[in-house]
Amino acid sequence: MHLQKYEKIPRATIARLAVYVQELEVMEQQGIKVISSEKLAWSCGVNPSQIRKDLAYFGEFGVRGVGYYVYELREAIKQSLGLDRTWNVVMVGVGNLGRALLRHQLLRKRGFVIVAAFDCDPFKIGEEIAGIEVQCSSKLPQSTIDMGVEIGIITTPPERAQRAANYLIEGGIKGIVNFAPSRITAPENVVVEYVDFIHNLFSVAFNITQHQIKGLL
Amino acid sequence: MHLQKYEKIPRATIARLAVYVQELEVMEQQGIKVISSEKLAWSCGVNPSQIRKDLAYFGEFGVRGVGYYVYELREAIKQSLGLDRTWNVVMVGVGNLGRALLRHQLLRKRGFVIVAAFDCDPFKIGEEIAGIEVQCSSKLPQSTIDMGVEIGIITTPPERAQRAANYLIEGGIKGIVNFAPSRITAPENVVVEYVDFIHNLFSVAFNITQHQIKGLL
DNA sequence: TATACATTGTTAAAAAATTCACTATGCACC
DNA sequence: GGTGCATAGTGAATTTTTTAACAATGTATA
């Protein structure tokens, strides 16, 4: 096992590594066996040094004068990110987005297996989606403890996100991905990550506006 | 209208401004009229200076010794981001995620109105979701031109993302939000933004692993 | 009107991230 | 085995972003 240099790794590096994995998989499917940092950089839209630096946090994976072996690099990155295993996930809040995620194939393909789904709406409880039966939220803490679940996904409306988080925390969860557009508070030892694609729409809207302003100057 | 100082604005600032808007709305609902950068910072999980700096890119919105008027600040930020209008959006790819977004209320609430949806699957064409009829992708370029659409959302499988992008570009779109896990190429004048929540799961998984390693040391 | 206080706006310092430039090294071919 | 070439790894320089510190200024009170 490659031993990571003990140094704080930038958040941005983690995000990029995920992109590298993605692109390496595409290359693998295309039958490409070896890739240089320059070509990989080009297809990921980053600088080649950036890639080499990002990888350097975790070890040496390339061959000088040659490049990186696609398969090996991908595996090495996945291992570095802790993705050489599967993670059990529970979901709280079975609305439109929740359903879409439950049915989403890619999650499982990436090693994230949704093992249970919870909602507080009596009309939803008992419903089966993608082979998973929706359970009452009050059962959440005990279930996650029993099943040894480590990650929770929140897809409730924003006003119920904190309550969902509390259930998850009570259930001994270690990390939360919050899709609800609201901040939540959690103890230090619980990792919280926010997903909000409205931000990306904001960003696009802003950049379009900027482009137009620049065009006028 | 507040004139933005002509200076490049960090991407991270834009993302944070979106968070500020979110939290300001929560505060407004709670009847809070005035807020200091310190309190807002606390609830957004950032540093107070950060907030003041972020806002300074766009103008002066606060009152020294008092703070910021919640309503005014929110409006000012929205205006700064180009969100004091509605944006017409089209969607390409009506799978699970696409359907969820079509039914999502928050998009419209934020001023992003999905005016048309396209898919290349004959079984989906003609279907109506949330009041929008799915059309054949080949009609996309002409439709977006006719409707004056500026933003396109791609929710196709990754292998069809580039084709979707090409249609959108042909249709004179100005910005793309790509939910498919694959990079796309577009001309300079088209803004592209990627959304991939798998990254966030990766990040959580990684951080959990790190926590545990740190715990062992 | 002056004084105290709170909090912004802003400049300077610090920290972090990115990019550059160069060194080291593996491979292919002679 | 030696030479040339390509490309990874890395330390230094640069750029960007964040944080801290403080000066400016509006409000409230006497």
Side-chain angles (χ1 to χ4, degrees), chain A residues 36-37 52 61-62 64-65 67-68:
Chain A
S36 66
S37 58
R52 299 201 295 273
F61 306 119
R64 294 174 194 216
Y68 301 91

Side-chain angles (χ1 to χ4, degrees), chain B residues 32 100 120 129 199:
Chain B
I32 298 169
C120 62
I129 300 157
H199 292 3

Side-chain angles (χ1 to χ4, degrees), chain A residues 46 70-72 80 100 103 108 118 126 138-139 146 154 159 161 166 178 186 197-198 213:
Chain A
V46 301
V70 175
Y71 173 80
E72 288 186 7
S80 303
R103 296 194 181 110
R108 180 176 288 262
F118 301 89
S138 61
K139 292 186 185 159
D146 294 346
I154 297 177
E159 60 276 14
N166 296 344
N178 181 16
F197 44 80
I198 298 279
I213 291 171

Side-chain angles (χ1 to χ4, degrees), chain B residues 102-175:
Chain B
L102 280 169
R103 296 193 182 110
H104 208 283
Q105 301 305 309
L106 236 61
L107 279 175
R108 181 178 289 260
K109 202 183 138 202
R110 298 287 179 187
F112 298 96
V113 182
I114 301 179
V115 295
F118 301 89
D119 203 294
C120 62
D121 179 348
F123 287 99
K124 288 178 186 163
I125 294 166
E127 193 184 336
E128 193 177 305
I129 300 157
I132 290 167
E133 194 189 329
V134 179
Q135 297 175 64
C136 176
S137 298
S138 62
K139 291 186 187 157
L140 195 159
Q142 194 56 51
S143 293
T144 55
I145 292 170
D146 293 345
M147 294 165 114
V149 174
E150 289 172 284
I151 297 177
I153 291 180
I154 297 177
T155 42
T156 64
E159 60 275 15
R160 282 203 280 277
Q162 183 64 59
R163 196 171 67 185
N166 295 344
Y167 278 135
L168 290 169
I169 293 160
E170 197 187 327
I173 226 97
K174 291 175 188 153

Side-chain angles (χ1 to χ4, degrees), chain A residues 11-46:
Chain A
R11 270 187 65 82
T13 290
I14 304 304
R16 279 191 302 266
L17 287 171
V19 175
Y20 304 161
V21 169
Q22 199 178 87
E23 290 302 301
L24 288 167
E25 281 183 0
V26 172
M27 287 166 182
E28 215 173 342
Q29 280 177 2
Q30 293 172 352
I32 298 168
K33 296 271 183 267
V34 184
I35 188 88
S36 66
S37 58
E38 192 174 339
K39 289 210 189 88
L40 180 58
W42 194 87
S43 77
C44 295
V46 301

Side-chain angles (χ1 to χ4, degrees), chain A residues 158-180:
Chain A
E159 60 276 14
R160 282 202 279 278
Q162 183 64 57
R163 196 171 68 186
N166 296 344
Y167 279 136
L168 290 167
I169 293 160
E170 198 187 327
I173 227 95
K174 292 175 187 151
I176 295 174
V177 182
N178 181 16
F179 283 77

